[in-house]
Amino acid sequence: DVKVTQSSRYLVKRTGEKVFLECVQDMDHENMFWYRQDPGLGLRLIYFSYDVKMKEKGDIPEGYSVSREKKERFSLILESASTNQTSMYLCASSDRGGNQPQHFGDGTRLSIL
Amino acid sequence: AQKITQTQPGMFVQEKEAVTLDCTYDTSDPSYGLFWYKQPSSGEMIFLIYQGSYDQQNATEGRYSLNFQKARKSANLVISASQLGDSAMYFCAMRELLYNFNKFYFGSGTKLNVKP
């Protein structure tokens, strides 16, 4: 069965900290994505990766970076956390086929104090 | 311009009745895919149904069907015989298969409440 695993369900950090959110998929998918979800705004794409070591900016990349050293793992990094980065973060992966949906992890609810 | 528009922030439906959730999209890509996801209060996103732009028939998956009107650029989700467990957020999404193959565009969602 398809599985996308995010390292933490809930996380509390302080402003200025460097924060790592990890995501692992077991489906051998080429594409991986990081979104943040805020009420009334739907899902906004932060970064995505279509291959190992490849990354592309999404709609809201400011304040974030990503790393994909292995195909199954895609990390989101908040370089210096700020309170406006308090949000739900969702990781997803998809196969290359055009009719293939994204498969999502359970999400990480991140609070920055 | 918004790629995906969901104009109903919230909806109520009586248990066992059918409900339609609206979705319109905007693209100049001749080839695209449309997806619907369900997000219960627990937070996970669950894929429900897919419609390709060249599919001749409307997609169906169990109690879910997609009312695809290409000329109007709409892809409404129809849930038949609503159940209490259908209460959730529903998101419409699009993937442009030629121009931005690796990106998915999401709407802002519709919160559905099923009343007993």
Side-chain angles (χ1 to χ4, degrees):
Chain A
D1 200 13
V2 163
K3 191 70 177 170
V4 178
T5 303
Q6 294 185 229
S7 52
S8 304
R9 197 70 200 270
Y10 300 93
L11 204 55
V12 180
K13 295 291 183 181
R14 298 209 171 271
T15 55
E17 280 193 68
K18 192 168 186 176
V19 181
F20 293 85
L21 302 184
E22 306 286 346
C23 176
V24 177
Q25 51 100 359
D26 65 358
M27 296 159 285
D28 202 36
H29 284 166
E30 287 85 359
N31 302 324
M32 296 189 75
F33 308 79
W34 275 106
Y35 293 91
R36 67 176 280 176
Q37 182 179 14
D38 301 288
L41 297 179
L43 276 70
R44 292 182 291 166
L45 181 64
I46 305 171
Y47 270 96
F48 69 97
S49 168
Y50 53 88
D51 204 347
V52 176
K53 297 191 187 294
M54 306 303 288
K55 61 186 178 185
E56 285 201 25
K57 292 179 180 179
D59 301 315
I60 51 164
E62 298 78 17
Y64 304 94
S65 62
V66 290
S67 172
R68 194 167 180 200
E69 297 296 318
K70 294 184 177 181
K71 190 175 186 180
E72 68 270 19
R73 186 180 295 271
F74 192 35
S75 303
L76 178 69
I77 304 153
L78 285 65
E79 297 291 344
S80 178
S82 64
T83 54
N84 63 11
Q85 292 177 310
T86 291
S87 187
M88 168 72 95
Y89 289 86
L90 291 167
C91 174
S93 72
S94 77
D95 204 350
R96 282 198 190 278
N99 63 345
Q100 297 301 305
Q102 291 179 310
H103 298 274
F104 286 83
D106 288 342
T108 295
R109 190 165 292 283
L110 175 65
S111 296
I112 307 294
L113 305 179
Chain B
Q2 289 271 55
K3 289 279 190 180
I4 296 285
T5 302
Q6 294 180 253
T7 56
Q8 306 152 313
M11 287 193 71
F12 286 90
V13 66
Q14 202 69 39
E15 195 178 7
K16 300 180 185 174
E17 290 186 353
V19 62
T20 298
L21 307 183
D22 294 341
C23 172
T24 58
Y25 59 91
D26 181 27
T27 184
S28 55
D29 194 324
S31 181
Y32 51 90
L34 297 157
F35 304 81
W36 276 92
Y37 291 86
K38 172 185 178 181
Q39 187 181 42
S41 56
S42 50
E44 75 273 26
M45 293 279 280
I46 302 164
F47 166 66
L48 296 177
I49 194 167
Y50 167 82
Q51 179 83 44
S53 57
Y54 291 116
D55 292 344
Q56 297 296 314
Q57 308 259 11
N58 285 342
T60 60
E61 286 287 346
R63 293 187 298 112
Y64 304 109
S65 60
L66 207 151
N67 182 2
F68 180 47
Q69 298 187 44
K70 194 170 181 177
R72 297 180 62 183
K73 293 189 174 180
S74 75
N76 299 338
L77 177 72
V78 180
I79 306 175
S80 63
S82 297
Q83 301 172 356
L84 296 178
D86 294 334
S87 293
M89 282 289 287
Y90 288 82
F91 291 95
C92 178
M94 176 177 67
R95 188 180 195 181
E96 294 173 320
L97 302 181
L98 289 180
Y99 299 155
N100 287 295
F101 183 74
N102 289 316
K103 287 185 76 171
F104 288 74
Y105 301 92
F106 283 82
S108 55
T110 295
K111 184 164 186 176
L112 177 66
N113 282 293
V114 180
K115 298 186 291 185

